[in-house]
Amino acid sequence: MVLVVQIIYAQKKTVAGKILDENGLPLPGVNVIEEGTSNGTQTDFDGNYTITVESGATLVFSYVGFVTQKTVVGAEDVYNLTLKTDSAALDEVLVVAYGTTTKESFTGSASTIQAEQLEQRSLTSPLSAIEGNSTGVQFLSASGQPGSSPSIVIRGVGTLNGDTDPLIIVDGVQFEGALNAINQNDIKSMTVLKDAASTSLYGSRAANGVVLITTKSGKGKQDLRVNIDSQVGVINRAIPLYDNVNPQEYYELMWQSYKNSLDVDNAAAEASATIFNRLGYNPFNVPNDQIVQENGQINPNAEVIFKGLDWYGALERTGQRLFNSADVSVGGANHNVFFSVSNLKEEGYVVTSDFERTTARLKGDFVPTDWLTLGGNINMALSSSNGPSSRGSSIANPFGFAKNMGSIYPVYIVDPETGDYIRDAAGNLQYDRGEGYPDFGIQSRPTNVGRHAIEEVLLNDDKTETNNYGIRLNAGFQIVDGLELNLLYGQDVNDYINKRYENNLVGDGQPAGRYRETRFRRIVENFNQILNYNKSLGDHSFDLTLGHESFDRTFSEVFGFKNTQTAEGIYEFDNFSTIASLDGYTSDKTLEGYFSRLNYNFKEKYYLSGSVRRDGSSVFDKDVRWGNFYSIGGAWRVNQENFMSNVHFVNNLKLRASYGEVGNDDLNDYYISQPRYSLLPNAGNPGIFWSDLGNSALTWETIESWDIAIEFDLFDYRLSGSLEYYKRNSSDLLYNVPLPISMGLNQGPANIGDMYNEGLELGLNGIIVDGNNFKWNLGLQFSTNNNKITFLPDPFVTGSKRWIEGRSIYDYFLYDYAGVDSENGDALYYAYEEDTETGENVPVINEEGEHVTLTDPTEANRTYVGATAVPDLVGSIRNQFSYKGFSLSFLFTYQLGGEILDYGYADMMHEGSYGESLHPDALNAWKKPGDQTNVPRLENGNPNLAPSLSSRWLTDASFFSLRNVNLSYNFNNDMINDMGMSSLRLFVSAENLFLISERKGLNPQYNLQGTPGGNDYNPSRIVSAGVNISF
Amino acid sequence: MKIFNKFRFSLSLILVALISFSCSEDFLDNVPTDAISAEAALSSPENMMLILNGLHRQVYSQAQLPGSSSSRSGESHFIPALDAMGGSIIHSSPGNGWMTSDLQWLTHTNPTYTTVYNFWYQRYHFIASSNSIINAISDGDFAVSPQLNNILGQAHAYRAWAYHKLVTTFAKGYTIGNPSTDLGVPIVFSTEAPYESAPRSTVEEVYNQMENDIDEAISYLENAGSPVNKSHISLNAAYGIKARIALSKGDWQTAAESAALAREGFPLLNESQWLSGFNTYDLPEVIWGGRVIDSETNYYQSYFYYISPTFNGSQNRSNPKIISSELYDMIPETDFRNEAWLPLAPNTNPSASNGEGGSYESDPNYDSEDEFWDAWSEVISKYGMTSGHNTHPYMTVKFLQKNPGTIDPDDVIYMRSSEMYLIEIESLAMMNAISEAQELLQEFGQSRDSAFDASQFATQEELIEQIKFQRRVELWGEGFSFHDHIRWDEPLDQSNSGAAKVLYQNGFFQERPSQNDAWIWKIPQAEIDANPYITSSDQN
C-alpha cells in the first residue's frame, strides 16, 4: 500500500521525528496532521512519528494539554520538537452534547472535572467530586449509608416537582443507574453543562442541567500500560451529635413539665412525689420519690448509677473502606482498548451498614478502514449493601430512636437498684425494650414502648443487591469529506433485589416474623443517529449536526410480603407461611426527538452556535406531546483582535452570551396525564378506586435561560477565571396542585405558573507561586441564586412554605413566634388574619396599635416570617501545593446566609413529653413569673408551646466545611524505572474532615427546603491511605 | 480494488437508518399496568361494581389515597378513636403512645392533625366516587337492571353515610344547635374541573341532602338483587343508615321505622355468640361489616390492634383497654355481658396510669404475690394472650381475636341489629310511646339479662336513662360514644370511671356539647388552604 501510494504520488516525501515534553521525555499519542487535509498519524510509545506529506506542507502537532505547534516541511527529513505544556489547556477537548468541542470555541457554560482531580478523592459516587469544582452547583450531602450518592442542584431548582437531579449522560447516552455504579477510576472527565446553549440539544430532559461522564479509552499507539490503585480507609460520623441534657437536668426539666400540667393544690409536692411514675426509670442512687426536690432542684445526693445510657454508642462503630482497582490499556494505529476491574468494600459507621461493589469495563475503538470507525464498551457493576433501611419518622428508624431517647434510659436492661447490667443466662447484655420487666422491678418507658430500634437493626436483615449492565455501541461512517454518520446505541439494565426480614422478637415483625422482597428490572434503551458535516471556507467554518434519538425506559417490579416464619435465620419466602401482599407492575416511558445544531466561526474570533430540538413524550396526551426547544449562543474572543495584540498581560479574553430553552415532562409519574382508577381488591374480590385525576391538557414545562459571561486568562496564565450571570425563567410549571380535599382527591396535575432563578457565578484560579520546586495554586468560587415566582393563579401552602406570586418557593410560612409571656410562661404568637381582598395575611392590630399576640398558634395563623431557605452565597476555596514530589491539596466549601427550620432541634425542644430527649437550651425554660426568657414553660400535653411550624426553630444555614484533604508523594522516574514502574504515587486523603455550623448536630446540606429532621444517617468522614502504581 | 464503495454503502445505510429508526406511530402511547382508565372504570355496570368494591375495602382499610397517611385512617382507626375521645374506651396506660393524643383531645381540635385530615378526606372520597357513578349513570345510556339499581343504591347510600359522618362531626349537633344557620360541610356533586369544591352548606341543607340520598338508595336497593356479602350496603344497611340520620336529627318516627326495617332478618345474638369476640361479620346480628383477609390486613393499624386485649402488639400489651368502673358496676349479675370485662383482673403493669400497677402491693384487689400472679396466669391462659400481655381491673375481653396472641386480622363490624333495637327503643321513648318502648326493651333486655324487667322503667326519663345505659354497654367499643354525647348533650366526665387524670389531661373533663365547641372537629387546614370558599374565619 505504502509502495503504491509512493508510486502514485511521487511528489510526496516522507518525514520523521521524535516529540518530547519539556522534561525531555518522549510523548506518545501526539497527533501529527498535514494541515488542511485529513492526512495524519500519531507518535508511538517512544514519541516517534513518520508521515508522508507533500513538500511545503505544514505539519500540525497537537496533544491534549500541550500547546499546538506547527512546522513547515522543508528540505530536511527529520523534525524533532518539544511540546510545551499548555497551562491554560486551551485546546482541552470539551465533551458536549452529541459531540466534542474546544474550550475556546464553546459558546455555552460548562465546568469540567478531569481524571486528575478525581484521583485526589476517595469517593464512592463520582458526583461528589463536582462539589467545590464547579460554580453554580449546590450540593446536598450524601447519606452516611455506604454507597450513597449526594444530590446536586445546578443553578437553582427550575421545577416545582422537587426533583433536582440533572440528566446524566454516560458515554453519549442517558444513564439512569445509581452513580455509585461507576468506578471513579474509569472516568476520564465529567462535564457539568449549565446553560441552555449547552443543554438544549437534550431538549426535554435538561431542565436540571446535564452532567456528561466520559469513560477512559486506550490511547493511540501505546504499549500496554497497567495502572493499579489500592486504598484503605476508616469511616466515622462527619457531623457532630445534637447536645443532650444530662440525667439530672432531664429529671429537673421533666419535673417542671409534670408540675405545670398538674391541676392539684400542691403541684410541686405532687410532682416531686410522683415524677418517677411518669418517667418510669430512676438512674440515680436516691429513692424514687426523692429524685427532685419540691423547689425543682435535683436531689444533691443524686448520682447516676445506671450503665449503658449511651444510645449512639450502641449504634455506631468505626467503619472501614477498602478499594482496589486495576486497568490495562493498549493502542495501535487502528485500534485501542481499555479494560478495568475494581472492587470496593465499605463498612459504615453504623452497625450492619455496608456496601460492596465490583465493576468491570471493557472498551475498544477500531478503525477497520479510513472511512469507518467501530467501537463500544461493555460494563457491569455488581453491588450489594446492608443497612438499617428505616428512615424518616418511623419508630424503627434507629437514628431517630437514639436521638429522641431521654438521657435517663438505658440501652440494656440494668438493675434499678445497682445500675449494673442484668445479663442473660449466656452472660450477654439484654436490650431494654421499654415494655417493663416486672421480674426485675423495671417499669415501662413512657416512649417507644416495646421497641428497640437498635436491637431491631441487629436482629433484622436488610440486604439489597443491584446489578448494572451496560453496553454502548457506536459506528461512524465518513460518507464524503467532512460528512459523517454516527450511530450510537446504548442499553443499561438495572436488576434490583431487596430482601428484608423483620424479626419475630421485637418491632414491626413481632410476633411471627415477616419478610418482604422487592425485585425490579429497569431497561433503558437509547438509540441516536447523528449526521455531522464540517466545512471550512476561507475564514468561515461550519459544523452542522442533524440527529434523531429514541429513548425507551421499561421498569418492571414485583413485591411480595409474607409473615409467620418457620425456622430462624432463613430469609426467603419459603420460610414464611402467610401471604400479606403480592404485587407487581410494569411502567414504560418513551421519548422521541429530532435535533439539529449549527456551529459557525469566523477567523476563530467570532463564534455562533444555534440548535433546535423537537421532542415528543409519552407522558403527555397525543395532541400536546410534542415540544420545540431551541437555543442560540455567541462568543467573541477579544484577545484575537488586533487592538489587543499589544496588551501583553491578557492571554485570553472571551465574552459569550447565550439564550435557549429546555423542557421538562417529569412530574414523577409516567402516566400523569391519564385519569386513572388504581386496583384495590376487597376481601379477594376485584376492586378499584379513583386515584389519579389526570389532565389531558398537561404539556411541557419550559425553561428559558439567559447566560452572559466573561472568561479570562491574565499575566501569563497566572490568573484565570470567569464571571457569569444567568437567569432561568421557568414557565408552565408542572405541579400537582393541591385540591380542596373535599373533592375526594388531594391533588391534580397542571401547568400552573412561572418562576425564575438568577444568579452570579465567579470562579478564580491563581497560580500564586510557580517555582521550580514549589507551586501553589489557589481556586476560589462564589455562586449566588435567587428564586422568585412570577405567576401563580392561586397561592397555596406546601409544608413549611407557601407559594405565591412575588416570593420565592423557599420563603418560610410559619407561626410567627413572639417570645414568652413572662407572667405565665406561655408561648406567644403574633396574630395574622387574611385580607380577603389580597389573599395576604396581615397583622392583627389592637386598639393601642400593638400587634396582637395569641397563645394558640392555630388561631394566630401562619405568615411569611421574612426568612428563606436559599443561601446568599455558596462557594469553595481550593488550595494546591506541590513541592518536588509532594503535593498537598485541600478543599473548603461554605455557604453564607439562608435559614434552616431545624426540626431536629425542635424535636428536642418539645413541651415536655415524658421520655423524649431534651436539648440543653430547654434549661432556659420559663419557671416562675417574671422570668425573662425565650423558651416557654414546659408543660406535658400542651400543644401550643412548641409547634414544629414555628419561626422559633429558624437557624442560620451558614456553614464552613473542610471537604477534602489530600497529601501525596510522586516518586521520581529514575528511582522507579529501575523497579519496572513508570509511576508510583503514595497518598493519604480525607473526606468531610470537619463542619462548622450554627448548631451542633445540624446538617445544613440536608435538603433544599431547609427542613432536616436530625434523624437520618448522617454523612460519613472517610480517611484513606493509598498507592497508585503504573507500569 | 475496494470491496465496496463507501459512498454507495453509506447512502444506503442512511436510507435504512431513516426508515428503520424513525419510531413507529404508537411508540409514544403507553398505558399503566397498575390502574385502569377513568373512562373504562365508568363505562359499564361491571366496572362500577369494581369501584364500589374499592369503597367497601376503604371503609375499614388504611388510607390508599394519594397524600393521605396510612395511619389514623379508616373505620379501623376511627371507631376506637371516637370511643377514646368519647370516653367509652378507657386507656389504662399511655401504652406505646398510640391514640394518647386522641383521648387527650389533642387531635380533633388541631386543624393540621392527620386524624382530622384523613377523616374528612376519606369521607369526601366516598362522596366523590359516588358522585362519579351517579353522574355517569345519569349522563349515560345504561339499561335498568337489578345490578344497575344495586350500584345506584349503594352509591347513594355511601354518599348519605359519608355526609352523615361529616356533618355530625364537623358541625354543631342538629339537636343542640340551630341547623338552619349553623355551618355544616360543603355539598359537592361535581368531580370535574375546576375542582373548587363548595362553601359550607348549613347543617339543615346537609341533612336534606342525606335524606334525599338515603331515600333514593332505598328505592334503588328495593329493586336490586341481594347483596354479594355483608361488606356491601344492603337494603337493610341502607335503612340502618337512614335510622342513624333520623336519630341524630331527632326525627323519631323515621328513626324508629327505619331501624325496625333495618334489623329485619338479623336476629339478636345469643350468649355464646355475644361472648365469642365480635371478630367476624358472620355473626347473625351483623348487618354491615368489613371482611379482612390476610392479604388485606391493616397490621398495626387494625381495629383489633387498638381494641382487643389479645392482639400481640405493643399498643395492647401494656395498655389493656378498660370500661368505666361506674358503668360496669351497674351491669346486673344476671346480665351475661358482665363477662365481657374483668373487674378483678390484676393490675400487672408497673406503668399503669392509675399508679396501682406492678404488684399485689400496689393493687388493692390482691394481698399476696401468688394470688396476684395466679390471677394473671388465669386470664392469660383463658383468653390466649402471651406472657408479654398485662392485665388491668375492668379490662375488656369483649373483642377477642379468632387467633388470639397473634397479629392476624379480624373483621370490623359497622352495624348490627342491637344498635337498631336501641335506636328504635330510644325513638319510641322520645315519642312517648312508653309501652311500645318497654315492650321492645324487654325483648332486647332479656336477650342479655335473664332477669331483665322493662316494666321498672315506666317514665320517659327512666326509659331514656336505661337506653343510655344499654347503649353504653351493648355498643361499647363500637364507635358511638362521642356522637352520643353530642346527641344527649352530656359532658365528658371521667371522674368516677377509673381513667387517670394524669393520662387524660384535657380528655378527663369536657363541658357539655351545647356549651363547648371543642366537640366540633376542626376543619382540616388543607381544605381551608385550597378551598376558595372557605377561609380561616370559617373554621370551627
Side-chain angles (χ1 to χ4, degrees), chain A residues 1 47 69 82 84 94 232 324 356-358 413 422 457 490 514 536 558 597 624 668 696 734 792 825 888 902 926 1015:
Chain A
M1 187 82 169
Q69 290 199 35
T82 298
K84 280 190 184 165
L94 197 60
V232 56
N324 289 294
E356 180 167 8
R357 176 194 74 194
T358 301
I413 298 174
I422 299 176
V457 164
R514 62 187 195 180
S536 292
V558 289
R597 171 175 58 201
V624 288
N668 307 315
S696 61
L734 288 170
L792 197 67
L888 170 67
D902 190 351
W926 181 96
N1015 55 6

Side-chain angles (χ1 to χ4, degrees), chain A residues 47-87:
Chain A
N48 293 318
Y49 73 92
T50 309
I51 188 168
T52 303
V53 296
E54 290 188 49
S55 307
T58 302
L59 284 180
V60 182
F61 300 88
S62 65
Y63 190 60
V64 174
F66 290 83
V67 177
T68 301
Q69 290 199 35
K70 297 178 181 179
T71 300
V72 178
V73 176
E76 292 100 65
D77 292 340
V78 175
Y79 299 89
N80 293 331
L81 278 177
T82 298
L83 289 188
K84 280 190 184 165
T85 313
D86 183 348
S87 52

Side-chain angles (χ1 to χ4, degrees), chain A residues 221 331-336 365-369 374:
Chain A
K221 283 203 180 167
N334 50 19
H335 72 280
N336 62 60
D365 291 298
F366 309 95
V367 188
T369 76
L374 294 172

Side-chain angles (χ1 to χ4, degrees), chain A residues 951-962:
Chain A
S951 61
R952 188 177 158 199
W953 317 120
L954 289 173
T955 303
D956 191 335
S958 301
F959 73 86
F960 186 74
S961 83
L962 179 49

Side-chain angles (χ1 to χ4, degrees), chain B residues 457-496:
Chain B
F457 313 112
T459 67
Q460 185 188 49
E461 210 165 67
E462 284 166 350
L463 270 170
I464 294 296
E465 273 314 298
Q466 177 61 16
I467 290 156
K468 287 180 178 179
F469 164 75
Q470 290 293 347
R471 253 183 102 90
R472 288 181 184 129
V473 174
E474 177 70 30
L475 301 177
W476 186 92
E478 296 182 52
F480 296 98
S481 62
F482 185 84
H483 292 102
D484 279 351
H485 273 94
I486 297 172
R487 287 199 305 115
W488 295 329
D489 196 23
E490 289 185 334
L492 172 65
D493 186 354
Q494 298 281 32
S495 299
N496 300 310

